[in-house]
Structure formats: C-alpha cells, structure tokens
Amino acid sequence: MTADKHRLRTRLVHSGHDVETSRGFVNVPAFRGSTVLYKDTASLKAHNQRFTYGTHGTPTTEALAAAWSELAGAAGTALVPSGLAAIAMALQTVVKAGDHLLVTDSAYFPARRFAEQVLRPFGVETTYYDPALGARVAELIRPNTKAILTEAPGSQSLEMQDIPAIAEAAHKRGVCVVMDNTWATPIFFPPHERGVDIAIEAGTKYLSGHSDLLLGLISANAEWWPKLHAFVDLYGIPPGPEDCFLALRGLRTMELRLREAERQALALAQWLETRAEVKRVLHPALPHYPGHEIWKRDFSGSSGLFSIILNPASDEAVAAMLDGLELFGMGFSWGGYESLVIPFDCTTYRTATKWAPGGPALRLQVGLEDLEDLKEDLARGFARLTAAN
Ligand SMILES: Cc1ncc(COP(=O)(O)O)c(C=O)c1O
C-alpha cells in the first residue's frame, strides 16, 4: 500500500496487511519464535532470507513497523518493549562519549533520569532548555551538540514547542532532532514532515488504547533510519509478540478513539474553565492558551490528556477530592478507554524554567465514559475539595 494513494483512515485500516503471511485471515497473527529454519547451508551462511532469528523481527513485527512507517511518513520504524526504551534507544543512536545533548525542560521525567543516570556516566553532557525557546535554541548549540530532544506539548505541564523552528536551527548546524510525539501521535502531528529526524511514540498509550500493553516505536527519516536500525538491532530487545499483535489491532481504530478523546477532553476542558475551583486549564487547543497558535499551525488535533491548576488548596483537601472519585482512577500512563487523574509537581527537577503554577496541579486523561458522568464525578470532587479546605 502506498502512503500517497489513500487517505489516512483507509491507510489505518489496510496498512501492514499481508494476506499471504496470514493465510487469508484478516489479521497478521502473533508470531512467536526464536529459531527460524533455513532451507540449506548456503542460505544459512549467507543469512539472506526474509526472517533469520526472533530478535531481528517476525512477520508480526514487520507488519506493525511497516504500518507505523506509513502512518508516520518515515523511512523505517524500530520496535522496542516500552516508550521509555524508545527514548533511550533514539538518544543512544545519536550521542556518543564526548557529545552534548539538549533536552527540553518539559520532557517526560524518566527521559531526564536516563540522560543523568545513563548518558552522563558514559560521557554525554546534557543541558536542559526552555521549551518556549523555538529557534533561539540555536544559542545553546555547541560544536559537540549532536541531538535536541523535544516533546510537544510537554509532559504534564503541556508547554508547546515550535518544532519546525527548532528543526531548522538544528539542521543548519548538523544537529539531529528527536521528538517524543506520544501526545499527538502521527495522526495529529506528522513528525518527519515537520522536520523531526527521529520520533518516538509510547505505543502503550493511544496505539494500545486499552491500557493492556507496553510498546515503544521509533520512526526515522531516510538519513537516520539505517543508523537507528543498526543500533537497535545490537541490543536484542524486541517487544513481545502479543503486544505487537494488540498494537496492530489498536491501529485500526486509533483515529476514531483519538477523535473521540479529543472531543471529550476539549468539552471537559471548557467546562473546567468555568469552575471557580480551577485557576487555569492547560490545553493547547484552548484559544487563549500560550502556544495555541503554534498548535493550530502544526497540529491537526489534540488528544485526551491535559492538566489543570486548582486555586490554592491544602494537600488534605486535594486528597479528599481525588480519593472519593468514582470514575477517574488514579494511576500512571494514559491513552486508554478509561479516565484517570494524577496530581503532579515539576518544581523539584526543573532547571531551565521555574514551575510555579500557584496552586495544586492535576493531570487528567479523559476516557470514553459519558461526559456528563465525568463532569458529575469531578463536581462532587470539587465539593469535597471546598469542604475540606
Ligand atoms: C510522554 C511520554 N513519553 C513516553 C512515555 C513512556 O512510555 P512507557 O510507559 O511505554 O515506557 C510516557 C509514559 O507515561 C509518556 O507519558
């Protein structure tokens, strides 16, 4: 299937199909296996058949990677067992001892921990930068800077980034742009078309859509794909076959689920803006949100994850609100069919920017429940918050 022949929804339904491999069945099955048999000594010695060993790929991983490359507009996609592993592999493909790395201050926190606790001891220095810098990130590029890690919008705090401007500044100096594109997915933000060299996606979120698998996808443009492919292959860490099978299944309905998450989350965000208990709603699709113009220019949609800042309240009052919620579960991850909420605080680790929201911060993952039920759950929570404050 060629990416330019059909429209997005058609591609999501048909990409990665290989009727021959699945013997006529609609879905490519979960191939399990380490050993692949060779037909003779010549092919064994030449290692030249389509599949050679389980860690190098199976028909299931091949179908998923091909479908994702088509969706992301990438030259190729590597699959790893989690989103965090995808970040780690992407960065390690680019930086080596003696190199310098720029990381947005708004990055997913474990990416930062990876930079500090793995890359730094191996001789890679990291500088954190203000996500709002845009093209001015160029001022932080040193002769040994090899990569810029971006994420738009930022984890939990939702700051937008001007990715095309960052990419232009980076490419003028031969620097590779890596992006965590998990929030928008390639459906709402085509990373490589916008100048990203290597994009990662935690398939754990919207590709799964059901909170039942862990997966990382790393897509790359033509320049970076051979290097990424060779590097990831060295590690021998393929994702589980069942997770790849479920991810392929999730891909078929991903656009529908994302569109519904967008609709629900935006409506809830607008309702939260009217609530006296809420000081600010952090959602890039809201017209007055800083960075909204960048979102409008570069993204074709918003997903179901956003944050709110409450008016000042005690920890006990926030706990009273959250502990009594019936529909919003408390737990990490997002992108599933169920609504979630977590309190968060970025003050302890930010270095390039100051996180001072002026009240308790909550991240909401809006699921597919009836919106009125979700509002009522939160309204009862707000009543508990006020009573306990
Ligand atoms: C923005 C972002 N990137 C990456 C990850 C990591 O994904 P995984 O949980 O599959 O390691 C997460 C997980 O919460 C995330 O929120």
Side-chain angles (χ1 to χ4, degrees):
M1 182 138 320
T2 51
D4 48 2
K5 190 167 151 210
H6 294 109
R7 293 167 187 83
L8 174 69
R9 288 179 80 158
T10 309
R11 297 207 310 272
L12 286 170
V13 169
H14 291 283
S15 58
H17 267 178
D18 180 349
V19 178
E20 195 190 321
T21 301
S22 50
R23 296 185 173 218
F25 282 83
V26 171
N27 293 299
V28 179
F31 275 82
R32 310 181 163 279
S34 49
T35 303
V36 181
L37 299 174
Y38 292 78
K39 68 176 189 309
D40 52 29
T41 30
S43 62
L44 181 88
K45 281 185 182 161
H47 238 6
N48 64 357
Q49 59 188 29
R50 186 162 160 216
F51 298 103
T52 55
Y53 188 66
T55 52
H56 301 305
T58 68
T60 316
T61 60
E62 191 178 71
L64 177 58
W68 193 261
S69 294
E70 196 172 314
L71 174 64
T77 297
L79 305 175
V80 290
S82 73
L84 180 56
I87 297 169
M89 290 291 106
L91 292 178
Q92 282 197 301
T93 296
V94 187
V95 296
K96 303 284 175 286
D99 290 344
H100 175 237
L101 167 70
L102 286 164
V103 171
T104 176
D105 218 21
S106 56
Y108 174 58
F109 178 70
R112 208 174 168 114
R113 211 174 43 196
F114 180 78
E116 291 310 313
Q117 295 184 27
V118 178
L119 295 181
R120 197 175 290 280
F122 278 96
V124 176
E125 192 189 343
T126 297
T127 303
Y128 299 91
Y129 66 93
D130 182 341
L133 276 187
R136 282 186 298 130
V137 76
E139 292 160 23
L140 300 175
I141 293 176
R142 303 177 189 169
N144 63 339
T145 305
K146 290 286 158 44
I148 303 181
L149 178 64
T150 63
E151 188 178 332
S155 267
Q156 301 182 326
S157 49
L158 278 297
E159 294 98 330
M160 282 305 302
Q161 289 204 270
D162 189 338
I163 302 294
I166 292 171
E168 195 186 343
H171 291 155
K172 269 187 202 152
R173 293 157 184 84
V175 176
C176 174
V177 178
V178 181
M179 180 183 187
D180 184 335
N181 192 32
T182 305
W183 183 85
T185 84
I187 291 178
F188 289 155
F189 184 86
H192 305 296
E193 212 177 283
R194 301 275 183 272
V196 173
D197 298 291
I198 302 179
I200 81 96
E201 180 81 20
T204 311
K205 320 302 178 197
Y206 282 111
L207 181 55
S208 156
H210 295 74
S211 307
D212 55 2
L213 65 87
L214 288 156
L215 186 73
L217 304 100
I218 323 167
S219 61
N221 59 15
E223 181 189 349
W224 282 94
W225 170 240
K227 294 171 215 168
L228 175 75
H229 178 55
F231 184 80
V232 174
D233 204 45
L234 292 173
Y235 270 80
I237 48 164
E242 199 68 33
D243 287 349
C244 292
F245 172 82
L246 289 172
L248 259 174
R249 188 166 76 165
L251 185 76
R252 310 302 176 202
T253 57
M254 187 169 153
E255 200 251 2
L256 296 178
R257 290 184 284 100
L258 259 176
R259 287 277 168 215
E260 188 58 14
E262 170 178 48
R263 203 180 61 80
Q264 296 255 96
L266 201 49
L268 196 68
Q270 282 157 350
W271 174 77
L272 285 162
E273 282 197 306
T274 68
R275 296 290 311 196
E277 301 84 355
V278 177
K279 186 185 170 80
R280 254 178 335 126
V281 179
L282 315 181
H283 191 308
L286 293 175
H288 51 267
Y289 187 68
H292 172 72
E293 291 307 318
I294 292 175
W295 173 80
K296 217 164 75 180
R297 185 194 65 194
D298 295 342
F299 290 65
S300 58
S302 56
S303 61
L305 189 79
F306 68 97
S307 296
I308 57 173
I309 310 300
L310 298 173
N311 281 313
S314 66
D315 288 350
E316 294 71 25
V318 176
M321 174 187 170
L322 299 183
D323 290 347
L325 291 172
E326 290 169 24
L327 300 177
F328 283 85
M330 259 190 295
F332 294 98
S333 204
W334 46 280
Y337 55 82
E338 78 290 13
S339 292
L340 298 169
V341 62
I342 48 161
F344 70 93
D345 181 7
C346 312
T347 40
T348 52
Y349 59 85
R350 290 263 175 145
T351 50
T353 53
K354 199 166 151 50
W355 174 251
L362 303 177
R363 187 185 74 176
L364 300 167
Q365 129 77 21
V366 184
L368 301 175
E369 299 93 339
D370 190 293
L371 190 63
E372 293 311 307
D373 288 333
L374 293 180
K375 285 184 192 168
E376 284 168 19
D377 199 24
L378 289 176
R380 287 190 295 268
F382 287 139
R384 287 191 298 277
L385 175 87
T386 307
N389 207 17

